[in-house]
Amino acid sequence: MSKAKSKARPSGSARRRRRRNGWIAAGVVLVALAGAGAAYLVTAGSSKAVVAQPPATSPARRGNLTQTVDASFTLVRDPAITLTSPQGGIITKLDLSNGAKPASFKPLLAVNGTNVYAIVSSTPIYRSLASGDSGDDVKALQTALKADGYDPGTIDGTYGTGTFDAVEAWQTDQALTVDGKFNLSDFVWVRPGSTALSVSASVGDRITAQTALATIAVPGALVAQADVSQLDVGRLKAAQSAQLTFDALSGATAPAKVVAIPVDSESSQQSAGSNSVVQYAVTLRPLRLPA
């Protein structure tokens, strides 16, 4: 049986929110020192001073406290997923067709005359981004910008001046409002290598946000489906890093990302002498696999 170990790598904004889910707590360990009331004590009836011993001390150390979640997983063929619209309105243009491969910063469709673009990356981009943000999703945005010819500078996961300028340059080329911000409502996140298998939308359709547009899949790709208990699933979130280990391959590991956490449980198992254990089927995407 294989094991998946997920380790949180929080974004900068999440770090400022102090980890509401308690997945990682970082802080300074403070050593309390008890001070002596006086430099020395004088015994009754004697003029001889008894010097107090200095208190024992230990240097404070700064570090990260990390929790991990262990779960068994199975490698399965990557299933097809549904591509949905981030906006509601009338489809006025459709650039997606059967067999097409979406590309970053290229239109998929237009809703009420406004283009909706693809953003292709291994790491899910799940939020709007702006100056000062940091995390793996920022790094994914920087990588996509550079691949499309908009240089963000150092790809370091920090939304700095270079990333801001690159987004502004792309907005200028698209005749959009130029504010240097990445607005998620203008984009649909797509996994690398995805191909449109069946486009269900048509020009003139009236849609709402999250209306299905097409079915897409990555031919031949594998994902890890891990059974995570109800007690642990609340510690996970999309884009967290994980490490896969394989019982049949001694010492072999593979990095992965959490890509989907279901709202509903998958199963409930009854163990002898205990209450039922509720399991959630969490999907992780391997970044690479052993040969």
Side-chain angles (χ1 to χ4, degrees):
M1 184 173 293
S2 302
K3 296 279 186 182
K5 179 177 292 185
S6 177
K7 181 176 294 183
R9 296 184 183 276
S11 67
S13 58
R15 190 179 299 116
R16 291 193 293 271
R17 290 197 295 269
R18 303 299 302 168
R19 312 299 178 207
R20 289 195 298 268
N21 61 5
W23 180 239
I24 287 186
V28 178
V29 179
L30 300 180
V31 179
L33 305 179
Y40 60 87
L41 301 176
V42 179
T43 59
S46 172
S47 60
K48 184 177 179 181
V50 179
V51 179
Q53 294 297 317
T57 62
S58 179
R61 292 184 296 273
R62 183 187 299 271
N64 292 332
L65 301 180
T66 302
Q67 290 181 321
T68 60
V69 171
D70 292 325
S72 299
F73 72 91
T74 303
L75 280 178
V76 299
R77 190 172 299 280
D78 193 3
I81 65 171
T82 301
L83 199 68
T84 60
S85 172
Q87 301 178 11
I90 297 176
I91 297 178
T92 52
K93 185 179 66 169
L94 189 63
D95 297 284
L96 190 63
S97 59
N98 291 340
K101 294 182 180 295
S104 287
F105 303 107
K106 300 299 186 290
L108 292 174
L109 73 159
V111 178
N112 294 341
T114 301
N115 282 333
V116 175
Y117 303 88
I119 181 75
V120 181
S121 69
S122 299
T123 300
I125 300 181
Y126 57 93
R127 56 175 177 158
S128 295
L129 299 168
S131 294
D133 288 335
S134 61
D136 288 342
D137 51 352
V138 176
K139 185 178 291 186
L141 172 62
Q142 292 171 329
T143 301
L145 284 166
K146 187 169 184 177
D148 200 44
Y150 298 94
D151 187 7
T154 303
I155 298 178
D156 55 4
T158 298
Y159 204 118
T161 302
T163 306
F164 182 92
D165 292 344
V167 172
E168 275 199 332
W170 174 78
Q171 290 172 332
T172 299
D173 289 346
Q174 297 296 317
L176 302 173
T177 300
V178 180
D179 58 9
K181 298 177 181 179
F182 176 84
N183 187 354
L184 188 62
S185 65
D186 296 330
F187 289 87
V188 175
W189 174 68
V190 181
R191 297 167 297 172
S194 293
T195 299
L197 304 180
S198 176
V199 177
S200 54
S202 300
V203 172
D205 287 354
R206 182 178 293 275
I207 62 174
T208 60
Q210 303 309 310
T211 292
L213 301 174
T215 300
I216 63 173
V218 180
L222 297 175
V223 294
Q225 289 186 342
D227 291 327
V228 179
S229 73
Q230 184 179 30
L231 297 177
D232 290 329
V233 72
R235 301 176 181 178
L236 303 181
K237 65 179 181 179
Q240 279 181 331
S241 295
Q243 180 172 278
L244 307 179
T245 60
F246 306 88
D247 291 344
L249 300 173
S250 179
T253 63
K257 292 283 186 181
V258 176
V259 294
I261 303 172
V263 176
D264 299 320
S265 62
E266 173 193 31
S267 63
S268 178
Q269 300 175 351
Q270 185 77 33
S271 56
S274 65
N275 296 326
S276 60
V277 179
V278 178
Q279 302 282 350
Y280 287 79
V282 175
T283 303
L284 303 99
R285 185 170 306 285
L287 302 183
R288 62 177 180 273
L289 288 171

